[in-house]
Structure formats: structure tokens, C-alpha cells
Amino acid sequence: MCLVYIPTTAGTGSEVSPIAVVYNDRLQIKTNLSSPFISADIALLDPELTVGLPPRITAFTGYDALTHAVEAYFSPRANPMTDAFALHATKIIVENLPKAVSTGTDLQARSNMLMASAMAITSFSLAITAIPVHNMAHAFGAKIGIPHGLANAVLLPNVMGALPHLYLPRINGFAEALGLSVYDVEPKACLQQVIAFIRELRSGIGLPDTFAEFGFDEKRIADMVPAVLSDPTALAFKIPSDTIVQICQEVAAAPLSVQEESSR
């Protein structure tokens, strides 16, 4: 038997991934199955099959691919091979995702995004260990029903800002892949530039910076702490509880009084 996988989005890279995510709707958790037998024998990346994907889904699936590249590059298990895939995937994504979102019929942009997605998940799978963005995204997806790519898009810059020790040692190299001029820039300042870039890119393709549209507010934060800590992806790296609360506060809907004041 020959397994042939054909993706219709450019984000998960599932067509070349040895990892499957399973959702238990009774327990409201996501868990992973990892096996070499999950991988395809042949993966066909046909950009024409992604042309009909709506702009918003194109945007947040693209951010899933970007998050794979980020978490692969900053992994404690990163190596020259995973770096090569992660950095080049990042470069391709920042150059092509806005085009794929704004002009869905751009086959070159769609093709480039499919290849970047495949490269990003390959590096992610080979280097997987500390993946706090995916850890939190899985919990938000399972508990709140937020699409995985959108959860990654909202959480990515906040997690990077809240856990700087994971990113500072290699941040300048990643900034170069984004096209930022950071020669001799001090790592803390460089991290802030990278976070700002990720936020600007996200805003430019029409994605939000909070989970307000899903009704997530500060009243639900207490439930998210155990959800994040019990997620199977937290086994290799546990996010401190106070950091989880901080990130949740940042991505929650603003209190009604604040919303009313800003609308005046």
C-alpha cells in the first residue's frame, strides 16, 4: 500500500509530518500521536488546490507554519539541518503570505507557501521539545474552540515576550531571516523588533491580536492555567502559572468599561 497525501492548506504540513493531533471532546484535550508510519510515502503539493481557501484561513494557517519554524529554530534540540529548514521557511512565509492572502489566485505565492509549510513542519518534527506557543494553542483550541492556526497567530508574539530566555540566545539570527537589519543590535532590543514585526505582519493580513471574538475574557483565565499545564506538549517544558495568566490577560477581551471608553 502506498500512502499519498495531498494538502489543501499551507500550514500544518501534515502531509510530511510524523505527528497527528487527536482531540478528545469528552475531556476537552488535544493529544499527539507520533509514529513513522503516519508519514506519507508521497506528498503532492499542488497550489491549485489551495486557491479557493478564504483569505482569513489562508492567513492563520500560514501563521501555523510560521510558528512551526519559530519553535524549531529556538528549540534546545535545534541543529544545522533544522535551522536551514526553519530559517528558509520563515523567509518564504514573510515574503509570500501577504500575497497569498491578498491575491488568492497567485499560484507562485501559493506554491511557495506549501513548500514553506512542508519545510517548517519538518524542522519542527526533528527538533521538537519546548513548544510553549503550541502548548497554549492546543489548550485554547480544546477548551475554547479556537482554530489552531489562529490560536498560534494570536499567541506567538505574546509568548515570545513573556518567555524571553527561550529566544534571546538566537534571536539575531532569526531576525535576519525576517529581513530585519539587526547587525550589532543587542538581543533584548532585537527580540522587541522581532515581536513588533510579527505583530505588524499579523495585522497586515487581517488577523486579530486577542480572542475577544470567541468570548474569551478574564473570567475564563483561571480555567486555562490547568488546561495549559495538563496539555501533553507541556511535558518537555512547563510554562510557569503566573506567565500563563499574564499571556491570557494579554489575549483576553478588554473589560467592558475599557471597550466603552475607547469607543467614545
Side-chain angles (χ1 to χ4, degrees):
M1 182 178 68
C2 180
L3 291 176
V4 180
Y5 294 169
I6 307 174
T8 55
T9 67
T12 66
S14 58
E15 70 280 359
V16 295
S17 172
I19 304 169
V21 178
V22 179
Y23 173 58
N24 186 316
D25 58 358
R26 181 173 64 85
L27 298 177
Q28 288 191 309
I29 62 170
K30 289 185 176 183
T31 190
N32 298 329
L33 295 177
S34 182
S35 168
F37 300 106
I38 294 175
S39 300
D41 297 304
I42 299 172
L44 299 178
L45 308 183
D46 184 349
E48 292 189 356
L49 297 180
T50 66
V51 165
L53 202 63
R56 181 175 168 86
I57 302 178
T58 298
F60 66 62
T61 52
Y63 253 77
D64 190 16
L66 179 60
T67 306
H68 288 149
V70 169
E71 299 209 298
Y73 182 73
F74 291 102
S75 167
R77 292 178 57 190
N79 58 67
M81 179 177 288
T82 59
D83 284 354
F85 272 52
L87 292 176
H88 197 54
T90 297
K91 184 175 184 293
I92 293 173
I93 291 166
V94 299
E95 290 177 353
N96 289 275
L97 182 56
K99 298 176 187 177
V101 171
S102 64
T103 309
T105 55
D106 187 330
L107 288 181
Q108 189 61 62
R110 292 285 193 181
S111 178
N112 289 340
M113 284 301 301
L114 280 169
M115 288 186 283
S117 173
M119 287 190 291
I121 193 62
T122 299
S123 60
F124 179 86
S125 301
L126 291 172
I128 189 169
T129 176
I131 52 171
V133 184
H134 272 74
N135 178 188
M136 293 198 69
H138 285 166
F140 272 98
K143 293 293 184 183
I144 313 295
I146 299 170
H148 179 65
L150 182 57
N152 279 329
V154 172
L155 290 164
L156 178 58
N158 299 78
V159 171
M160 294 184 74
L163 297 169
H165 64 283
L166 284 180
Y167 306 99
L168 288 175
R170 310 192 76 203
I171 192 64
N172 288 67
F174 187 76
E176 291 177 4
L178 295 178
L180 298 176
S181 179
V182 291
Y183 181 72
D184 281 347
V185 174
E186 189 268 334
K188 289 184 179 179
C190 185
L191 176 60
Q192 293 307 310
Q193 289 185 34
V194 167
I195 291 172
F197 182 97
I198 291 172
R199 292 183 186 279
E200 184 177 352
L201 176 65
R202 182 182 62 188
S203 175
I205 58 176
L207 294 180
D209 56 6
T210 72
F211 295 131
E213 66 184 283
F214 295 91
F216 181 70
D217 55 27
E218 292 202 352
K219 296 177 182 178
R220 308 187 71 175
I221 290 177
D223 295 333
M224 293 308 301
V225 175
V228 173
L229 292 175
S230 63
D231 184 81
T233 61
L235 292 177
F237 175 84
K238 284 193 177 294
I239 307 171
S241 296
D242 58 343
T243 302
I244 296 172
V245 171
Q246 173 193 331
I247 295 169
C248 286
Q249 289 173 335
E250 292 170 354
V251 300
L256 186 59
S257 58
V258 175
Q259 295 175 344
E260 291 175 339
E261 186 66 30
S262 64
S263 65
R264 291 176 183 173

